[in-house]
Amino acid sequence: MNILHLLIPVTLVMGLTGLGAFFWSLRNRQYEDLEGDAERILHDDNDTPMPPRKETIR
Amino acid sequence: MTGIPGVARVRANLTLRRINVTLAQADGALHNVLAELENIGHPSRLIDSADLSAEAKDETEVALLKAVAVSGFGAMNVMLLSVAIWSGASDATRDSFHLISGIIALPIVLYAARFFFVSAWGALRRASMNMDVPIALAIALALALSLFETLRGGEDVFFDAAVTLTFFLLIGRYLDYRMRGKARSAMTGLQRLAVREAWEVTPEGKLRTVAADAIRPGMVLRIPAGERIPVDLRITSGASDLDRSLLTGESAPVAVAAGDVVEAGALNLTGPVDAMALRPVEDSFLAMSMRMLAGAEESRSTYVRIADRAAQLYAPLIHLVAFATFVGWLLATGDWHRAAFVAISVLIVTCPCALALAVPVAHVVASSRLMAEGVLIKEGSALERLATATRAIWDKTGTLTDGSPVLAEGLGTAPGSHAAATLAAHSAHPVARCIAAAYPAPAMPVLEIREHPGYGVEGLIDGRLARLGRPSWVADIAGEMTQGDGPAFAFVGEQMQRFPLRETLREGAAEAVVALRVAGLPSEILSGDAPAAVARVAAQLEIQNTQAGLTPQNKVTRLQDLLAQGERPLMVGDGLNDTAALAAAHVSMSPASATEAGRAAADFVFLREGLDAVPLALSVARRTAAIVRQNFGLAIAYNCIAVPLAIAGHVTPLFAAIAMSGSSIAVVANSLRLNRRRMTPSAPRLQEVTV
């Protein structure tokens, strides 16, 4: 049963890592332009995203 | 685009159809960017900062999504431990598993389920009931009972139920929110089609652009042909024809000259005019219509959504059942602990999980279905209201008709017709265009063509002066007026010729009226136009009930009369004159060509050209209502099985988990059926919305 002392923390850490990754991607606005990202992968030219969370003229 | 001088960065967002431009200097060359975009075939408009801040403010959706993720994580982990317990973990292992579950579940439920607690508390404080009250109670009690059992070393805990409940319910809540947000951003896209800036003539005689909301009374504005009037103004020089159809429902253009007062929203057709602004944007005719709209909308806020109506019945009932169970067990066994345990398990099992999912899932499926067909929905309750409509009320100009005139009888082959078509080819007036289009032969040679805005066109044909335009103006050279409808044509000193006009029906108008009649919705026309024009359209569509020459207030009164008679009218309209009526009706639709105010007031906006969108939306709404009823049926059937078992005290955590998930999945699967059947063989694409 000692294996449980290892396995339960491992599961929790793995789950938390996934959760953290999701929160990170939300905060970094990864879901703002899914269509645009799908198109951009086809272009060779260097196209960097706008700096995050900065007031810009749209 | 980065090649344009003064542009630092550019990023296109294809999902929102929006381009983000950072200029090198604050007052950089923005018009270069706009000109270049126009050049490459993407005419664009500036977006209002108000629209943007409205989008940014909506952080609830992200917060809900985070809560869904957190509760999903919790549900998975607690379930893992619970499965271990159900498959036979006992004694110390079981107790420590319970403890770990509790440590995971407690913070997660407090974080993720806060939406339900806040909403339930709000409802209780107003001394009312909503679906969140039993939900919050079930989750809180499940948590409290489980904590107590864990500390006591008890056998059954409901941590898994509390977390999975939260997870499922948050999915429903998130979908509900997301649907509203999606429709809203589509609306902002459409709103960008409206007037945002105007040309000001400075005292030095130069032209510069001003934002519409920066216009002050006394400013002199130049309105080029083809643009909308931004504010109420008085014309100081020039003459033109105005299309006021969006304001008044009149289909014929109105001639204006210096000294005339014009309302905001009219479209300048033929000549440029200079005009003095009379009122700022917020006091102009447009803005006043908006206020009338706000008044009319209040009357509709009394509608209670079907889910809330269900909650008002359901919530007191289950609380009563749980309480009766507690008292019953207490009397029968005298065991406080046992009685409380059974009563709480009744609450958990009856928690309206399926009920809370039943409506949002069906609505999300239906709205994405309609969106693919080119119909946007503002909010879920619109579908419920549309499904119960009993009567269709149509506006004429711009809704039943497409607003552009055609010749009633064709041009004929009289020699004058050819000359009239020749003159007409030199004007941009919509009536002139339709005359020119009606005569196929090439134009005759013509000299000294002059367009007199507000009057018509004149020129020398075969050396003779000829005029096409307003009858009184043509009569100046013809000598005598000829009776009849429509514009006139004459050579100098000769008989005047008249061209009666009629409007073209919007595509699918006749079919839509028939389809609605078959569906049990008789049609009626309420129009601001002249009785003769309304009667012609009504005869073509075989509509008996018509009222012509109505003011916006008349339309609202008629709708209120219908509502008072117990009818539930569906109003379809597009003009500013319909805006208040759209808001007053039981449910309303407007085409994408409608005014901004009209689109804002309507529950549905259809982007396709044809009116077949109306019966289509009706049939989707009715099927959605049927699915929602089935979903409620499923939820009730589930309760009929689960509640007696719970009252009898046979509900274990395993049973609760299976039963709750099962009923939720059944409801979701049933809702997905809305997507299955094909409605129309040729689904038109969403119309391009300019960036």
Side-chain angles (χ1 to χ4, degrees):
Chain A
M1 277 298 166
N2 277 337
I3 191 68
L4 283 178
H5 295 297
L6 180 68
L7 281 183
I8 289 175
V10 166
T11 5
L12 286 179
V13 166
M14 279 167 67
L16 279 174
T17 315
L19 194 65
F22 178 68
F23 270 46
W24 174 85
S25 62
L26 259 189
R27 227 195 344 271
N28 274 276
R29 311 209 277 169
Q30 300 277 328
Y31 302 98
E32 295 238 321
D33 184 14
L34 295 176
E35 257 175 71
D37 294 336
E39 299 268 337
R40 254 177 220 111
I41 199 170
L42 302 172
H43 293 291
D44 282 333
D45 43 333
N46 196 8
D47 182 21
T48 49
M50 299 294 284
R53 288 288 165 221
K54 210 179 129 195
E55 271 314 303
T56 44
I57 303 159
R58 296 188 195 207
Chain B
M1 300 240 51
T2 39
I4 299 173
V7 173
R9 269 171 167 288
V10 179
R11 177 86 169 172
N13 187 323
L14 300 187
T15 317
L16 297 172
R17 294 189 174 142
R18 188 182 288 170
I19 295 187
N20 214 321
V21 179
T22 311
L23 297 174
Q25 299 112 31
D27 54 347
L30 193 59
H31 60 269
N32 286 344
V33 177
L34 294 179
E36 178 62 24
L37 281 170
E38 176 98 47
N39 211 13
I40 58 173
H42 294 281
S44 48
R45 272 169 202 275
L46 295 177
I47 183 167
D48 215 53
S49 54
D51 290 344
L52 278 183
S53 59
E55 267 173 43
K57 243 180 254 165
D58 188 33
E59 275 168 7
T60 321
E61 193 185 313
V62 180
L64 274 171
L65 186 58
K66 283 182 178 170
V68 171
V70 170
S71 59
F73 157 79
M76 262 189 294
N77 282 294
V78 174
M79 253 325 157
L80 274 179
L81 296 168
S82 300
V83 170
I85 297 168
W86 298 332
S87 48
S90 58
D91 307 325
T93 320
R94 187 192 66 203
D95 289 347
S96 58
F97 275 12
H98 280 170
L99 192 65
I100 298 170
S101 301
I103 293 169
I104 300 172
L106 193 62
I108 282 176
V109 170
L110 288 182
Y111 170 80
R114 68 181 191 277
F115 299 97
F116 304 113
F117 293 134
V118 168
S119 159
W121 176 240
L124 285 178
R125 240 187 0 197
R126 289 192 308 274
S128 65
M129 243 329 152
N130 62 11
M131 202 67 105
D132 289 336
V133 176
I135 290 172
L137 197 66
I139 293 175
L141 283 178
L143 216 53
L145 176 80
S146 307
L147 277 178
F148 178 72
E149 288 288 309
T150 306
L151 297 179
R152 212 180 57 108
E155 215 171 284
D156 292 330
V157 300
F158 288 101
F159 287 124
D160 50 357
V163 187
T164 41
L165 258 183
T166 314
F167 181 50
F168 280 132
L169 292 168
L170 278 172
I171 292 176
R173 194 58 53 96
Y174 173 69
L175 288 178
D176 202 29
Y177 233 89
R178 188 179 153 75
M179 186 187 106
R180 279 186 249 164
K182 226 177 169 178
R184 243 199 325 266
S185 77
M187 292 292 162
T188 354
L190 286 171
Q191 278 169 7
R192 274 170 244 150
L193 301 173
V195 192
R196 292 259 185 256
E197 48 188 36
W199 293 96
E200 187 199 353
V201 186
T202 58
E204 305 89 62
K206 285 189 183 160
L207 277 182
R208 64 184 189 108
T209 50
V210 285
D213 47 9
I215 296 174
R216 294 284 153 261
M219 262 188 195
V220 178
L221 304 173
R222 176 155 303 162
I223 318 291
E227 295 219 341
R228 280 195 189 279
I229 310 269
V231 296
D232 295 357
L233 37 80
R234 179 182 296 118
I235 295 176
T236 51
S237 67
S240 181
D241 297 277
L242 295 184
D243 177 355
R244 293 167 75 224
S245 58
L246 288 182
L247 305 170
T248 58
E250 267 172 68
S251 47
V254 183
V256 291
D260 287 342
V261 172
V262 179
E263 312 95 328
L267 179 66
N268 185 8
L269 290 174
T270 43
V273 291
D274 281 3
M276 190 168 66
L278 293 178
R279 280 177 276 275
V281 168
E282 57 269 24
D283 293 334
S284 284
F285 179 76
L286 267 165
M288 268 150 40
S289 322
M290 295 287 220
R291 258 165 256 154
M292 196 159 134
L293 168 71
E297 258 176 355
E298 268 172 30
S299 65
R300 197 159 70 189
S301 58
T302 48
Y303 180 83
V304 184
R305 292 187 61 163
I306 189 164
D308 293 330
R309 266 179 285 164
Q312 277 162 4
L313 285 175
Y314 185 76
L317 188 71
I318 59 174
H319 292 155
L320 210 67
V321 169
F323 184 70
T325 311
F326 176 73
V327 174
W329 274 85
L330 191 61
L331 291 181
T333 61
D335 181 355
W336 278 90
H337 176 250
R338 182 80 187 135
F341 185 91
V342 174
I344 290 172
S345 64
V346 168
L347 271 183
I348 294 173
V349 162
T350 55
C351 183
C353 201
L355 228 48
L357 279 173
V359 182
V361 175
H363 282 177
V364 165
V365 176
S367 81
S368 64
R369 177 66 200 266
L370 279 176
M371 227 176 251
E373 303 272 2
V375 181
L376 305 178
I377 308 181
K378 286 281 196 50
E379 48 155 358
S381 83
L383 275 171
E384 294 171 13
R385 284 182 276 123
L386 180 59
T388 59
T390 57
R391 199 171 253 278
I393 312 287
W394 304 87
D395 167 50
K396 183 182 72 73
T397 314
T399 307
L400 283 174
T401 68
D402 63 7
S404 56
V406 291
L407 288 172
E409 295 149 14
L411 262 185
T413 48
S417 305
H418 193 181
T422 305
L423 283 180
H426 290 88
S427 169
H429 196 287
V431 173
R433 279 195 198 152
C434 87
I435 294 177
Y439 206 84
M444 300 162 82
V446 53
L447 294 170
E448 291 180 35
I449 278 280
R450 260 207 313 269
E451 181 160 16
H452 298 268
Y455 297 95
V457 211
E458 67 176 4
L460 290 174
I461 297 176
D462 293 343
R464 286 185 296 166
L465 180 66
R467 278 179 175 182
L468 171 71
R470 220 201 293 190
S472 60
W473 180 67
V474 175
D476 289 347
I477 63 161
E480 150 182 37
M481 281 257 271
T482 308
Q483 292 306 310
D485 273 341
F489 170 81
F491 280 114
V492 63
E494 282 187 18
Q495 177 73 28
M496 186 195 275
Q497 224 177 315
R498 298 294 291 263
F499 303 109
L501 299 170
R502 70 177 165 77
E503 295 165 277
T504 38
L505 290 179
R506 200 183 259 270
E507 183 193 324
E511 292 84 349
V513 169
V514 172
L516 288 184
R517 192 181 306 143
V518 170
L521 275 71
S523 289
E524 178 173 339
I525 298 180
L526 297 185
S527 175
D529 206 352
V534 177
R536 269 197 298 275
V537 170
Q540 272 175 289
L541 294 172
E542 296 172 18
I543 297 177
Q544 271 85 37
N545 291 329
T546 59
Q547 293 190 40
L550 299 183
T551 64
Q553 190 52 51
N554 293 152
K555 290 194 182 191
V556 173
T557 316
R558 171 69 185 142
L559 284 168
Q560 281 166 347
D561 285 350
L562 283 174
L563 286 168
Q565 287 162 25
E567 295 274 3
R568 289 182 294 272
L570 155 69
M571 172 84 202
V572 189
D574 73 323
L576 260 185
N577 59 330
D578 302 314
T579 308
L582 287 171
H586 181 63
V587 59
S588 51
M589 290 184 82
S590 75
S593 59
T595 49
E596 192 171 340
R599 290 194 305 262
D603 295 310
F604 294 84
V605 174
F606 51 96
L607 302 173
R608 40 158 88 194
E609 273 303 303
L611 277 181
D612 50 343
V614 179
L616 174 82
L618 180 72
S619 84
V620 171
R622 287 194 171 169
R623 282 186 47 215
T624 310
I627 293 275
V628 166
R629 275 196 300 275
Q630 289 167 14
N631 282 350
F632 279 141
L634 280 174
I636 290 168
Y638 151 79
N639 274 326
C640 288
I641 301 169
V643 171
L645 285 173
I647 294 174
H650 292 308
V651 168
T652 59
L654 175 62
F655 174 84
I658 292 173
M660 279 187 321
S661 320
S663 73
S664 300
I665 290 167
V667 165
V668 171
N670 188 37
S671 305
L672 286 176
R673 291 197 308 128
L674 269 174
N675 247 339
R676 230 179 34 188
R677 211 189 310 157
R678 191 127 296 178
M679 294 268 190
T680 42
S682 59
R685 286 295 150 88
L686 273 175
Q687 192 179 303
E688 280 294 302
V689 174
T690 49
V691 184

